Amino acid sequence: MPARIGVIGAGTFGINHLRAFRQLGYTGEAELVALAEVNDATRKSRLDEFPIRGYADYQEMLRCENLDAVSIATPDHLHRDIAIACARAGKHVLVEKPLDVTVAGCQAMIEAAKDSGVLLQVDFHKRYDPEHEQVQLAVQAGELGEILYGYAHMEDRIEVPLDWFPRWAGNSSPVWFLGVHFFDLVRWILGCNARRVFAVGQRGHLRSLGVDTLDAVQTHVEFACGAEVCFQTSWILPRRFEAVVNQGLRLVGTKGLWEVDTQNRGAQSCIDPQGMRTWNNSFLRERKDPMGRTHFRGYGADSIEDFARNVNFLLEGGCLDQLQGQHATGEDGLEVTKIAVAAHKSLTTGQPVDLDSLSD
Ligand SMILES: NC(=O)c1ccc[n+]([C@@H]2O[C@H](COP(=O)([O-])OP(=O)(O)OC[C@H]3O[C@@H](n4cnc5c(N)ncnc54)[C@H](O)[C@@H]3O)[C@@H](O)[C@H]2O)c1
């Protein structure tokens, strides 16, 4: 029997979870059973597209549906309690990034999953980008030698905090929304944790437009292997920028360097009235199967599908300890949250922060 899955939070990104599990149903690898969404209008519009059962209250979904697993795509600060309740109900759990916005919250989520013997996976999909997979293989094979330093940037157009989720952008930041992606990616590529963080940032532009959050943050991370990596994040790019996201990575080692422009991958269009556009078709691209059903391919779907396959492995008798692969665990989520928490602490104090010193 394939994994029976429910999605909690069906907003802007939750739809990608619904799509990924629905298409696994076409191949018998998962069953998208139900969704829970508190917003009546959003729930109704999703149920129009996905003919499954819908709930306003995720607890009711847990009680009424015989689920093996859930995926959680609620706002960042609302992951924790839902994940803990689902784990305690014996469901395997996929959580959108970041795992939680506090270190203590991540630890509680990990404990709850351990106590119930369920999988806790975090949707850090940058690991599934084919360009990043190649960097990770090269670095892990020692082809670049010892990594000395690097640089990553991830920037969104200003419509993301202003139009996409103005209700909770004030509870988030460029670090929480964007930085965590690349913190996890670089940890995974290097195969080691961060030990020290220093950050500076800018605030004022978005505040003047009615959303009180940081405009940009530059986070300098020292990793345990000695590599020093700077992460530049912002969400104030102009609306006319050629893509919603601008992102890239550069790592330099004693034997070589690797650079990835993951925004402009070579595909461009120019159509009035949008003007110039670049396309990251590695993320999500749409295609029809011979039965006319829509599928979404790309690393944005791969990471979610990977969760369902991990759940199937467990349902077929596999053990959590045997789960090998790319997926980010609860512990990975915790290490990433430590970096983000340290970055915000450093922004406040103006001092570098040792990750060992974090108590929250
Ligand atoms: N992996 C990525 O690239 C990526 C991109 C965007 C967002 N995200 C993450 O996905 C999550 C959701 O972001 P979003 O942009 O979709 O936000 P959103 O505000 O568009 O959607 C969140 C949805 O959760 C619903 N919700 C809130 N509390 C709920 C509850 N208790 N039960 C059921 N539904 C509830 C809201 O009504 C809303 O529809 C965030 O953690 C965000 O950081 C990830």
Side-chain angles (χ1 to χ4, degrees), residues 237-279:
L237 293 195
R239 288 179 187 271
R240 290 176 62 82
F241 185 72
E242 60 197 18
V244 175
V245 186
N246 187 36
Q247 55 189 349
L249 172 71
R250 180 168 194 265
L251 290 174
V252 182
T254 50
K255 291 204 248 170
L257 62 86
W258 203 298
E259 294 181 347
V260 194
D261 180 346
T262 39
Q263 191 277 118
N264 186 343
R265 301 180 190 223
Q268 296 180 46
S269 64
C270 185
I271 304 168
D272 280 337
Q274 295 93 344
M276 287 301 293
R277 285 280 184 272
T278 44
W279 298 95

mmCIF file of all heavy atoms in Angstrom, residues 237-279:
data_model
loop_
_atom_site.group_PDB
_atom_site.id
_atom_site.type_symbol
_atom_site.label_atom_id
_atom_site.label_comp_id
_atom_site.label_asym_id
_atom_site.label_seq_id
_atom_site.Cartn_x
_atom_site.Cartn_y
_atom_site.Cartn_z
ATOM 1 N N LEU A 237 14.341 43.106 -4.533
ATOM 2 C CA LEU A 237 14.678 43.321 -5.947
ATOM 3 C C LEU A 237 13.484 43.965 -6.658
ATOM 4 O O LEU A 237 12.332 43.700 -6.304
ATOM 5 C CB LEU A 237 15.007 41.994 -6.642
ATOM 6 C CG LEU A 237 16.266 41.244 -6.209
ATOM 7 C CD1 LEU A 237 16.626 40.184 -7.235
ATOM 8 C CD2 LEU A 237 17.452 42.175 -6.000
ATOM 9 N N PRO A 238 13.739 44.797 -7.674
ATOM 10 C CA PRO A 238 12.633 45.493 -8.343
ATOM 11 C C PRO A 238 11.663 44.517 -9.017
ATOM 12 O O PRO A 238 12.040 43.433 -9.435
ATOM 13 C CB PRO A 238 13.341 46.357 -9.391
ATOM 14 C CG PRO A 238 14.749 45.906 -9.442
ATOM 15 C CD PRO A 238 15.057 45.162 -8.197
ATOM 16 N N ARG A 239 10.414 44.959 -9.106
ATOM 17 C CA ARG A 239 9.372 44.126 -9.719
ATOM 18 C C ARG A 239 9.697 43.777 -11.168
ATOM 19 O O ARG A 239 9.199 42.803 -11.694
ATOM 20 C CB ARG A 239 8.025 44.851 -9.667
ATOM 21 C CG ARG A 239 7.435 44.920 -8.273
ATOM 22 C CD ARG A 239 6.119 45.663 -8.265
ATOM 23 N NE ARG A 239 5.623 45.876 -6.915
ATOM 24 C CZ ARG A 239 4.836 45.030 -6.255
ATOM 25 N NH1 ARG A 239 4.445 43.927 -6.848
ATOM 26 N NH2 ARG A 239 4.440 45.296 -5.031
ATOM 27 N N ARG A 240 10.522 44.610 -11.802
ATOM 28 C CA ARG A 240 10.826 44.349 -13.211
ATOM 29 C C ARG A 240 12.081 43.491 -13.391
ATOM 30 O O ARG A 240 12.529 43.271 -14.514
ATOM 31 C CB ARG A 240 10.969 45.686 -13.973
ATOM 32 C CG ARG A 240 9.623 46.384 -14.114
ATOM 33 C CD ARG A 240 9.778 47.739 -14.769
ATOM 34 N NE ARG A 240 10.312 47.635 -16.115
ATOM 35 C CZ ARG A 240 9.591 47.354 -17.181
ATOM 36 N NH1 ARG A 240 8.299 47.173 -17.064
ATOM 37 N NH2 ARG A 240 10.155 47.272 -18.365
ATOM 38 N N PHE A 241 12.650 42.998 -12.271
ATOM 39 C CA PHE A 241 13.792 42.081 -12.409
ATOM 40 C C PHE A 241 13.337 40.849 -13.194
ATOM 41 O O PHE A 241 12.185 40.425 -13.105
ATOM 42 C CB PHE A 241 14.339 41.677 -11.028
ATOM 43 C CG PHE A 241 15.586 40.832 -11.118
ATOM 44 C CD1 PHE A 241 16.794 41.403 -11.506
ATOM 45 C CD2 PHE A 241 15.541 39.476 -10.881
ATOM 46 C CE1 PHE A 241 17.936 40.617 -11.637
ATOM 47 C CE2 PHE A 241 16.681 38.682 -11.001
ATOM 48 C CZ PHE A 241 17.876 39.255 -11.387
ATOM 49 N N GLU A 242 14.268 40.225 -13.913
ATOM 50 C CA GLU A 242 13.895 39.215 -14.918
ATOM 51 C C GLU A 242 13.385 37.882 -14.369
ATOM 52 O O GLU A 242 12.914 37.029 -15.133
ATOM 53 C CB GLU A 242 15.098 38.959 -15.833
ATOM 54 C CG GLU A 242 16.307 38.440 -15.084
ATOM 55 C CD GLU A 242 17.599 38.576 -15.886
ATOM 56 O OE1 GLU A 242 17.630 39.359 -16.847
ATOM 57 O OE2 GLU A 242 18.564 37.886 -15.541
ATOM 58 N N ALA A 243 13.481 37.651 -13.053
ATOM 59 C CA ALA A 243 12.932 36.428 -12.460
ATOM 60 C C ALA A 243 12.541 36.751 -11.022
ATOM 61 O O ALA A 243 13.043 37.704 -10.434
ATOM 62 C CB ALA A 243 13.967 35.308 -12.489
ATOM 63 N N VAL A 244 11.657 35.936 -10.429
ATOM 64 C CA VAL A 244 11.243 36.196 -9.047
ATOM 65 C C VAL A 244 12.432 36.030 -8.109
ATOM 66 O O VAL A 244 12.569 36.742 -7.122
ATOM 67 C CB VAL A 244 10.095 35.241 -8.639
ATOM 68 C CG1 VAL A 244 9.741 35.421 -7.162
ATOM 69 C CG2 VAL A 244 8.884 35.478 -9.496
ATOM 70 N N VAL A 245 13.303 35.056 -8.446
ATOM 71 C CA VAL A 245 14.446 34.751 -7.583
ATOM 72 C C VAL A 245 15.741 34.989 -8.341
ATOM 73 O O VAL A 245 15.851 34.659 -9.526
ATOM 74 C CB VAL A 245 14.414 33.260 -7.147
ATOM 75 C CG1 VAL A 245 15.521 32.982 -6.132
ATOM 76 C CG2 VAL A 245 13.067 32.875 -6.575
ATOM 77 N N ASN A 246 16.741 35.523 -7.623
ATOM 78 C CA ASN A 246 18.093 35.619 -8.161
ATOM 79 C C ASN A 246 18.995 34.854 -7.197
ATOM 80 O O ASN A 246 18.952 35.098 -5.990
ATOM 81 C CB ASN A 246 18.525 37.088 -8.216
ATOM 82 C CG ASN A 246 19.847 37.265 -8.918
ATOM 83 O OD1 ASN A 246 20.128 36.557 -9.885
ATOM 84 N ND2 ASN A 246 20.648 38.194 -8.445
ATOM 85 N N GLN A 247 19.755 33.895 -7.688
ATOM 86 C CA GLN A 247 20.510 33.066 -6.746
ATOM 87 C C GLN A 247 21.754 32.469 -7.394
ATOM 88 O O GLN A 247 21.820 32.299 -8.611
ATOM 89 C CB GLN A 247 19.626 31.930 -6.208
ATOM 90 C CG GLN A 247 19.013 31.074 -7.302
ATOM 91 C CD GLN A 247 17.965 30.091 -6.794
ATOM 92 O OE1 GLN A 247 17.826 29.903 -5.597
ATOM 93 N NE2 GLN A 247 17.249 29.463 -7.703
ATOM 94 N N GLY A 248 22.736 32.167 -6.564
ATOM 95 C CA GLY A 248 23.964 31.557 -7.069
ATOM 96 C C GLY A 248 24.893 31.164 -5.941
ATOM 97 O O GLY A 248 24.694 31.550 -4.780
ATOM 98 N N LEU A 249 25.911 30.391 -6.309
ATOM 99 C CA LEU A 249 26.821 29.807 -5.312
ATOM 100 C C LEU A 249 28.226 29.766 -5.888
ATOM 101 O O LEU A 249 28.406 29.510 -7.091
ATOM 102 C CB LEU A 249 26.341 28.381 -4.998
ATOM 103 C CG LEU A 249 27.237 27.501 -4.128
ATOM 104 C CD1 LEU A 249 27.228 28.007 -2.690
ATOM 105 C CD2 LEU A 249 26.750 26.054 -4.169
ATOM 106 N N ARG A 250 29.211 29.996 -5.019
ATOM 107 C CA ARG A 250 30.607 29.922 -5.444
ATOM 108 C C ARG A 250 31.426 29.367 -4.289
ATOM 109 O O ARG A 250 31.328 29.867 -3.160
ATOM 110 C CB ARG A 250 31.094 31.327 -5.798
ATOM 111 C CG ARG A 250 32.521 31.415 -6.244
ATOM 112 C CD ARG A 250 32.757 32.800 -6.834
ATOM 113 N NE ARG A 250 34.006 32.812 -7.563
ATOM 114 C CZ ARG A 250 35.161 33.211 -7.052
ATOM 115 N NH1 ARG A 250 35.216 33.661 -5.816
ATOM 116 N NH2 ARG A 250 36.265 33.175 -7.768
ATOM 117 N N LEU A 251 32.172 28.300 -4.533
ATOM 118 C CA LEU A 251 33.036 27.737 -3.496
ATOM 119 C C LEU A 251 34.453 27.635 -4.043
ATOM 120 O O LEU A 251 34.661 27.215 -5.190
ATOM 121 C CB LEU A 251 32.538 26.342 -3.080
ATOM 122 C CG LEU A 251 31.212 26.313 -2.296
ATOM 123 C CD1 LEU A 251 30.745 24.878 -2.075
ATOM 124 C CD2 LEU A 251 31.321 27.051 -0.966
ATOM 125 N N VAL A 252 35.412 28.016 -3.215
ATOM 126 C CA VAL A 252 36.807 28.008 -3.647
ATOM 127 C C VAL A 252 37.626 27.134 -2.697
ATOM 128 O O VAL A 252 37.584 27.325 -1.475
ATOM 129 C CB VAL A 252 37.388 29.440 -3.657
ATOM 130 C CG1 VAL A 252 38.834 29.425 -4.171
ATOM 131 C CG2 VAL A 252 36.526 30.360 -4.511
ATOM 132 N N GLY A 253 38.352 26.168 -3.281
ATOM 133 C CA GLY A 253 39.171 25.267 -2.475
ATOM 134 C C GLY A 253 40.629 25.325 -2.889
ATOM 135 O O GLY A 253 41.008 26.057 -3.825
ATOM 136 N N THR A 254 41.464 24.536 -2.209
ATOM 137 C CA THR A 254 42.904 24.572 -2.479
ATOM 138 C C THR A 254 43.235 23.992 -3.851
ATOM 139 O O THR A 254 44.290 24.279 -4.408
ATOM 140 C CB THR A 254 43.661 23.786 -1.397
ATOM 141 O OG1 THR A 254 43.035 22.501 -1.259
ATOM 142 C CG2 THR A 254 43.642 24.507 -0.061
ATOM 143 N N LYS A 255 42.332 23.171 -4.422
ATOM 144 C CA LYS A 255 42.622 22.582 -5.732
ATOM 145 C C LYS A 255 41.738 23.100 -6.854
ATOM 146 O O LYS A 255 41.935 22.721 -8.015
ATOM 147 C CB LYS A 255 42.473 21.056 -5.643
ATOM 148 C CG LYS A 255 43.553 20.391 -4.789
ATOM 149 C CD LYS A 255 43.724 18.938 -5.194
ATOM 150 C CE LYS A 255 43.264 17.990 -4.135
ATOM 151 N NZ LYS A 255 43.190 16.606 -4.548
ATOM 152 N N GLY A 256 40.748 23.897 -6.507
ATOM 153 C CA GLY A 256 39.885 24.387 -7.581
ATOM 154 C C GLY A 256 38.681 25.127 -7.045
ATOM 155 O O GLY A 256 38.488 25.247 -5.836
ATOM 156 N N LEU A 257 37.873 25.632 -7.977
ATOM 157 C CA LEU A 257 36.668 26.346 -7.566
ATOM 158 C C LEU A 257 35.485 25.852 -8.381
ATOM 159 O O LEU A 257 35.656 25.246 -9.444
ATOM 160 C CB LEU A 257 36.850 27.853 -7.734
ATOM 161 C CG LEU A 257 37.101 28.403 -9.139
ATOM 162 C CD1 LEU A 257 35.810 28.664 -9.879
ATOM 163 C CD2 LEU A 257 37.906 29.697 -9.034
ATOM 164 N N TRP A 258 34.284 26.131 -7.868
ATOM 165 C CA TRP A 258 33.058 25.744 -8.567
ATOM 166 C C TRP A 258 32.069 26.893 -8.435
ATOM 167 O O TRP A 258 31.847 27.381 -7.328
ATOM 168 C CB TRP A 258 32.463 24.463 -7.946
ATOM 169 C CG TRP A 258 31.577 23.702 -8.892
ATOM 170 C CD1 TRP A 258 30.425 24.145 -9.445
ATOM 171 C CD2 TRP A 258 31.768 22.371 -9.377
ATOM 172 N NE1 TRP A 258 29.872 23.170 -10.260
ATOM 173 C CE2 TRP A 258 30.686 22.070 -10.224
ATOM 174 C CE3 TRP A 258 32.743 21.403 -9.173
ATOM 175 C CZ2 TRP A 258 30.536 20.837 -10.868
ATOM 176 C CZ3 TRP A 258 32.595 20.176 -9.813
ATOM 177 C CH2 TRP A 258 31.514 19.905 -10.653
ATOM 178 N N GLU A 259 31.517 27.333 -9.567
ATOM 179 C CA GLU A 259 30.552 28.430 -9.545
ATOM 180 C C GLU A 259 29.264 27.973 -10.201
ATOM 181 O O GLU A 259 29.313 27.310 -11.243
ATOM 182 C CB GLU A 259 31.097 29.638 -10.320
ATOM 183 C CG GLU A 259 32.312 30.263 -9.662
ATOM 184 C CD GLU A 259 32.834 31.470 -10.434
ATOM 185 O OE1 GLU A 259 32.414 31.665 -11.593
ATOM 186 O OE2 GLU A 259 33.664 32.195 -9.877
ATOM 187 N N VAL A 260 28.139 28.299 -9.594
ATOM 188 C CA VAL A 260 26.841 27.924 -10.171
ATOM 189 C C VAL A 260 25.939 29.141 -10.203
ATOM 190 O O VAL A 260 25.655 29.724 -9.155
ATOM 191 C CB VAL A 260 26.121 26.845 -9.324
ATOM 192 C CG1 VAL A 260 24.984 26.238 -10.118
ATOM 193 C CG2 VAL A 260 27.061 25.772 -8.835
ATOM 194 N N ASP A 261 25.487 29.518 -11.399
ATOM 195 C CA ASP A 261 24.465 30.550 -11.524
ATOM 196 C C ASP A 261 23.147 29.810 -11.652
ATOM 197 O O ASP A 261 22.796 29.321 -12.724
ATOM 198 C CB ASP A 261 24.733 31.408 -12.764
ATOM 199 C CG ASP A 261 23.691 32.508 -12.931
ATOM 200 O OD1 ASP A 261 22.644 32.441 -12.253
ATOM 201 O OD2 ASP A 261 23.919 33.410 -13.742
ATOM 202 N N THR A 262 22.419 29.691 -10.539
ATOM 203 C CA THR A 262 21.190 28.888 -10.589
ATOM 204 C C THR A 262 19.970 29.731 -10.947
ATOM 205 O O THR A 262 18.851 29.246 -10.913
ATOM 206 C CB THR A 262 20.963 28.152 -9.256
ATOM 207 O OG1 THR A 262 21.319 29.014 -8.175
ATOM 208 C CG2 THR A 262 21.796 26.900 -9.176
ATOM 209 N N GLN A 263 20.181 31.000 -11.274
ATOM 210 C CA GLN A 263 19.064 31.824 -11.731
ATOM 211 C C GLN A 263 19.008 31.838 -13.260
ATOM 212 O O GLN A 263 18.064 31.349 -13.855
ATOM 213 C CB GLN A 263 19.220 33.246 -11.180
ATOM 214 C CG GLN A 263 17.985 34.114 -11.363
ATOM 215 C CD GLN A 263 17.907 34.755 -12.737
ATOM 216 O OE1 GLN A 263 16.965 34.497 -13.488
ATOM 217 N NE2 GLN A 263 18.863 35.574 -13.078
ATOM 218 N N ASN A 264 20.059 32.335 -13.867
ATOM 219 C CA ASN A 264 20.058 32.394 -15.329
ATOM 220 C C ASN A 264 20.721 31.146 -15.879
ATOM 221 O O ASN A 264 21.935 31.058 -15.977
ATOM 222 C CB ASN A 264 20.793 33.640 -15.818
ATOM 223 C CG ASN A 264 20.664 33.790 -17.320
ATOM 224 O OD1 ASN A 264 20.305 32.840 -18.025
ATOM 225 N ND2 ASN A 264 20.949 34.978 -17.814
ATOM 226 N N ARG A 265 19.904 30.160 -16.233
ATOM 227 C CA ARG A 265 20.440 28.881 -16.723
ATOM 228 C C ARG A 265 20.433 28.839 -18.245
ATOM 229 O O ARG A 265 20.523 27.774 -18.844
ATOM 230 C CB ARG A 265 19.640 27.718 -16.138
ATOM 231 C CG ARG A 265 19.699 27.736 -14.616
ATOM 232 C CD ARG A 265 18.916 26.604 -14.004
ATOM 233 N NE ARG A 265 18.821 26.806 -12.566
ATOM 234 C CZ ARG A 265 18.985 25.859 -11.647
ATOM 235 N NH1 ARG A 265 19.245 24.634 -12.007
ATOM 236 N NH2 ARG A 265 18.866 26.139 -10.377
ATOM 237 N N GLY A 266 20.252 30.015 -18.845
ATOM 238 C CA GLY A 266 20.377 30.071 -20.302
ATOM 239 C C GLY A 266 19.076 30.276 -21.033
ATOM 240 O O GLY A 266 19.082 30.599 -22.215
ATOM 241 N N ALA A 267 17.915 30.093 -20.357
ATOM 242 C CA ALA A 267 16.629 30.248 -21.046
ATOM 243 C C ALA A 267 16.101 31.664 -20.802
ATOM 244 O O ALA A 267 15.982 32.093 -19.662
ATOM 245 C CB ALA A 267 15.640 29.226 -20.520
ATOM 246 N N GLN A 268 15.805 32.380 -21.891
ATOM 247 C CA GLN A 268 15.311 33.748 -21.762
ATOM 248 C C GLN A 268 14.097 33.940 -22.651
ATOM 249 O O GLN A 268 13.962 33.276 -23.686
ATOM 250 C CB GLN A 268 16.374 34.743 -22.233
ATOM 251 C CG GLN A 268 17.635 34.750 -21.406
ATOM 252 C CD GLN A 268 18.619 35.773 -21.947
ATOM 253 O OE1 GLN A 268 18.252 36.893 -22.241
ATOM 254 N NE2 GLN A 268 19.862 35.369 -22.087
ATOM 255 N N SER A 269 13.219 34.851 -22.240
ATOM 256 C CA SER A 269 12.108 35.213 -23.117
ATOM 257 C C SER A 269 11.905 36.718 -23.033
ATOM 258 O O SER A 269 12.343 37.355 -22.070
ATOM 259 C CB SER A 269 10.828 34.486 -22.694
ATOM 260 O OG SER A 269 10.437 34.915 -21.409
ATOM 261 N N CYS A 270 11.251 37.259 -24.052
ATOM 262 C CA CYS A 270 10.870 38.670 -24.009
ATOM 263 C C CYS A 270 9.504 38.795 -24.657
ATOM 264 O O CYS A 270 9.367 38.616 -25.874
ATOM 265 C CB CYS A 270 11.903 39.533 -24.737
ATOM 266 S SG CYS A 270 11.512 41.292 -24.559
ATOM 267 N N ILE A 271 8.480 38.989 -23.815
ATOM 268 C CA ILE A 271 7.104 39.057 -24.298
ATOM 269 C C ILE A 271 6.458 40.279 -23.651
ATOM 270 O O ILE A 271 6.568 40.452 -22.431
ATOM 271 C CB ILE A 271 6.320 37.784 -23.887
ATOM 272 C CG1 ILE A 271 7.023 36.506 -24.382
ATOM 273 C CG2 ILE A 271 4.876 37.839 -24.380
ATOM 274 C CD1 ILE A 271 6.493 35.221 -23.794
ATOM 275 N N ASP A 272 5.799 41.108 -24.420
ATOM 276 C CA ASP A 272 5.098 42.248 -23.830
ATOM 277 C C ASP A 272 3.898 41.752 -23.034
ATOM 278 O O ASP A 272 3.254 40.804 -23.465
ATOM 279 C CB ASP A 272 4.618 43.207 -24.935
ATOM 280 C CG ASP A 272 5.763 44.092 -25.412
ATOM 281 O OD1 ASP A 272 6.717 44.274 -24.642
ATOM 282 O OD2 ASP A 272 5.693 44.555 -26.566
ATOM 283 N N PRO A 273 3.506 42.303 -21.877
ATOM 284 C CA PRO A 273 4.128 43.488 -21.289
ATOM 285 C C PRO A 273 5.240 43.146 -20.271
ATOM 286 O O PRO A 273 5.815 44.055 -19.699
ATOM 287 C CB PRO A 273 2.953 44.148 -20.553
ATOM 288 C CG PRO A 273 2.122 42.991 -20.102
ATOM 289 C CD PRO A 273 2.287 41.912 -21.151
ATOM 290 N N GLN A 274 5.544 41.849 -20.055
ATOM 291 C CA GLN A 274 6.498 41.490 -18.985
ATOM 292 C C GLN A 274 7.920 41.929 -19.291
ATOM 293 O O GLN A 274 8.692 42.208 -18.382
ATOM 294 C CB GLN A 274 6.501 39.973 -18.735
ATOM 295 C CG GLN A 274 5.199 39.417 -18.189
ATOM 296 C CD GLN A 274 4.295 38.926 -19.315
ATOM 297 O OE1 GLN A 274 4.501 39.253 -20.479
ATOM 298 N NE2 GLN A 274 3.285 38.165 -18.957
ATOM 299 N N GLY A 275 8.297 41.930 -20.553
ATOM 300 C CA GLY A 275 9.678 42.256 -20.893
ATOM 301 C C GLY A 275 10.573 41.035 -20.740
ATOM 302 O O GLY A 275 10.112 39.890 -20.800
ATOM 303 N N MET A 276 11.870 41.282 -20.500
ATOM 304 C CA MET A 276 12.838 40.180 -20.428
ATOM 305 C C MET A 276 12.563 39.290 -19.218
ATOM 306 O O MET A 276 12.319 39.779 -18.124
ATOM 307 C CB MET A 276 14.264 40.723 -20.312
ATOM 308 C CG MET A 276 14.822 41.326 -21.574
ATOM 309 S SD MET A 276 14.881 40.194 -22.971
ATOM 310 C CE MET A 276 16.116 39.014 -22.418
ATOM 311 N N ARG A 277 12.640 37.969 -19.430
ATOM 312 C CA ARG A 277 12.482 36.993 -18.354
ATOM 313 C C ARG A 277 13.548 35.923 -18.511
ATOM 314 O O ARG A 277 13.901 35.542 -19.639
ATOM 315 C CB ARG A 277 11.119 36.296 -18.444
ATOM 316 C CG ARG A 277 9.955 37.146 -18.002
ATOM 317 C CD ARG A 277 9.865 37.154 -16.482
ATOM 318 N NE ARG A 277 8.711 37.887 -15.988
ATOM 319 C CZ ARG A 277 8.691 39.189 -15.739
ATOM 320 N NH1 ARG A 277 9.749 39.925 -15.981
ATOM 321 N NH2 ARG A 277 7.607 39.773 -15.264
ATOM 322 N N THR A 278 14.064 35.434 -17.389
ATOM 323 C CA THR A 278 14.898 34.235 -17.427
ATOM 324 C C THR A 278 14.136 33.134 -16.705
ATOM 325 O O THR A 278 13.331 33.405 -15.819
ATOM 326 C CB THR A 278 16.254 34.463 -16.740
ATOM 327 O OG1 THR A 278 16.028 35.153 -15.526
ATOM 328 C CG2 THR A 278 17.201 35.243 -17.615
ATOM 329 N N TRP A 279 14.421 31.897 -17.056
ATOM 330 C CA TRP A 279 13.611 30.774 -16.583
ATOM 331 C C TRP A 279 14.468 29.712 -15.918
ATOM 332 O O TRP A 279 15.434 29.228 -16.510
ATOM 333 C CB TRP A 279 12.853 30.139 -17.767
ATOM 334 C CG TRP A 279 11.918 31.113 -18.398
ATOM 335 C CD1 TRP A 279 12.149 31.907 -19.469
ATOM 336 C CD2 TRP A 279 10.603 31.437 -17.935
ATOM 337 N NE1 TRP A 279 11.070 32.709 -19.733
ATOM 338 C CE2 TRP A 279 10.091 32.430 -18.793
ATOM 339 C CE3 TRP A 279 9.799 30.988 -16.884
ATOM 340 C CZ2 TRP A 279 8.821 32.988 -18.641
ATOM 341 C CZ3 TRP A 279 8.529 31.535 -16.736
ATOM 342 C CH2 TRP A 279 8.065 32.521 -17.602
#
